[in-house]
């Protein structure tokens, strides 16, 4: 039986994958990939202000609500799997044991590509930290001396998804993905994030702007594709090709 292709999305907090890679997740699921999402934390301290404004709110309550929102969003995107490491946020801290746990997931999934945050984020160091950890875990997963007998990882591309306040992050997209056909899934996933309603329209506008960039870069007026919604990504590793 042929196995589906796979992908892995690493989200520092439980909602990040929705705004930044929701279209990529839904689209690749539609194309027959099994996409696994790993949320390192729930963003329970730093990205849940609306919940904390409720009287009598507790950390456990916020985590439960954030988990429910993220699971509903993953379902709206038809994601194959979502896992929560519950490592805490603001600051996110990952010890050796948690790194090996992530390496185990990477080796089990054997992703064709991975996604995570921008390299630099002066507003949110949890985000850039998650990507640094993912690069470290990619390296460990490629090491033949780590847990000999497990299937060693190849060289999946790492795509950095679009941060908030894009220009401040030194993030520069080199790939645009047309997500028009799964936009309804992404918008539905966005609307699962009740605690961050102030971001819904912002990320709709962003997808439209990136749709414009897709159109321009796919040929513009001279035959470009009429993408209405897109996501931008910055790739980290070189591609290996037979033709240009
Ligand atoms: Zn975040």
């Amino acid at each position: 039986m042929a196995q589906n292709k796979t992908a892995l999305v690493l989200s520092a907090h439980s909602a990040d994958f929705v705004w930044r890679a929701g279209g990529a997740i839904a689209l690749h699921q539609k194309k027959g990939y099994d996409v696994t999402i790993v949320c390192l934390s729930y963003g329970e301290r730093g990205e849940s202000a609306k919940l904390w404004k409720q009287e009598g709110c507790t950390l456990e309550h916020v985590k439960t609500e954030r988990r429910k929102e993220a699971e509903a969003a993953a379902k709206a995107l038809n994601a194959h799997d979502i896992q929560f490491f519950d490592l805490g946020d603001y600051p996110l801290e990952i010890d050796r044991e948690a790194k090996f746990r992530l390496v185990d997931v990477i080796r089990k999934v054997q992703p064709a590509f991975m996604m995570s945050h921008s390299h630099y984020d002066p507003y949110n160091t949890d985000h850039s930290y998650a990507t640094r950890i993912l690069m470290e875990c990619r390296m460990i997963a490629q090491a033949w001396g780590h847990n000999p007998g497990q299937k060693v990882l190849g060289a999946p591309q790492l795509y950095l998804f679009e941060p908030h306040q894009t220009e401040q992050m030194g993030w520069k997209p080199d790939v645009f993905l047309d997500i028009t056909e799964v936009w309804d899934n992404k918008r539905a996933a966005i609307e699962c994030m009740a605690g961050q309603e102030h971001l819904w329209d912002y990320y709709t506008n962003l997808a439209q702007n990136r749709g414009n960039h897709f159109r321009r870069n796919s040929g513009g007026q001279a035959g470009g594709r009429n993408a209405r919604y897109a996501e931008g990504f910055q790739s980290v590793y070189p591609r290996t090709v037979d033709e240009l």
Side-chain angles (χ1 to χ4, degrees):
M1 196 175 80
Q3 281 211 310
N4 288 347
K5 284 191 191 174
T6 56
L8 182 77
V9 178
L10 186 73
S11 194
H13 312 110
S14 62
D16 294 323
F17 72 88
V18 178
W19 322 111
R20 318 192 184 295
I25 294 166
L27 187 68
H28 285 84
Q29 281 292 152
K30 201 171 172 187
K31 288 179 184 296
Y33 283 67
D34 287 338
V35 182
T36 296
I37 303 161
V38 173
C39 298
L40 294 176
S41 77
Y42 296 106
E44 63 271 22
R45 284 156 46 90
E47 298 183 2
S48 306
K50 194 175 165 188
L51 289 166
W52 281 110
K53 286 177 186 173
Q54 295 169 359
E55 188 120 7
C57 189
T58 64
L59 192 67
E60 281 314 308
H61 173 70
V62 175
K63 283 163 73 167
T64 304
E65 291 304 302
R66 293 280 291 179
R67 183 182 178 117
K68 277 195 239 163
E69 286 179 3
E71 283 174 339
K75 198 168 172 208
L77 300 170
N78 298 315
H80 170 71
D81 188 21
I82 181 163
Q83 301 184 23
F84 300 92
F85 277 25
D86 192 14
L87 297 171
D89 71 325
Y90 288 67
L92 174 65
E93 289 177 321
I94 304 173
D95 62 13
R96 196 175 175 84
E97 192 188 337
K99 283 178 193 171
F100 288 162
R101 185 176 165 199
L102 183 57
V103 171
D104 284 346
V105 174
I106 294 170
R107 280 192 166 177
K108 186 155 181 248
V109 170
Q110 293 287 326
F113 65 88
M114 305 196 289
M115 313 191 109
S116 197
H117 299 263
S118 55
H119 283 308
Y120 177 63
D121 189 335
Y123 300 91
N124 196 319
T125 54
D126 286 2
H127 289 168
S128 40
Y129 178 61
T131 290
R132 190 160 65 77
I133 294 303
L134 183 56
M135 291 171 68
E136 198 179 348
C137 290
R138 181 183 185 271
M139 174 191 79
I140 299 166
Q142 290 174 327
W144 283 80
H146 176 76
N147 288 347
Q150 278 184 350
K151 189 172 181 203
V152 171
L153 182 70
Q157 181 58 269
L158 173 56
Y159 292 105
L160 308 181
F161 41 61
E162 183 155 3
H164 205 58
Q165 305 175 94
T166 308
E167 293 80 0
Q168 308 304 319
M169 316 297 187
W171 177 90
K172 193 171 170 184
D174 54 23
V175 180
F176 292 106
L177 181 69
D178 181 357
I179 60 164
T180 307
E181 65 180 277
V182 292
W183 171 251
D184 289 346
N185 299 74
K186 178 162 182 176
R187 179 69 199 200
I190 284 175
E191 292 185 10
C192 293
M193 296 296 137
Q196 289 168 294
E197 198 176 343
H198 60 291
L199 296 177
W200 293 6
D201 286 344
Y202 178 88
Y203 280 101
T204 299
N205 294 339
L206 185 67
Q208 288 168 334
N209 288 341
R210 294 308 179 195
N212 178 284
H213 295 156
F214 186 106
R215 293 195 292 278
R216 179 67 181 86
N217 285 283
S218 68
Q221 300 289 321
R225 195 200 299 182
N226 187 27
R228 287 180 294 118
Y229 299 94
E231 286 173 341
F233 302 102
Q234 179 181 330
S235 48
V236 173
Y237 302 100
R239 285 155 201 273
T240 51
V241 300
D242 293 314
E243 277 184 46
L244 295 177

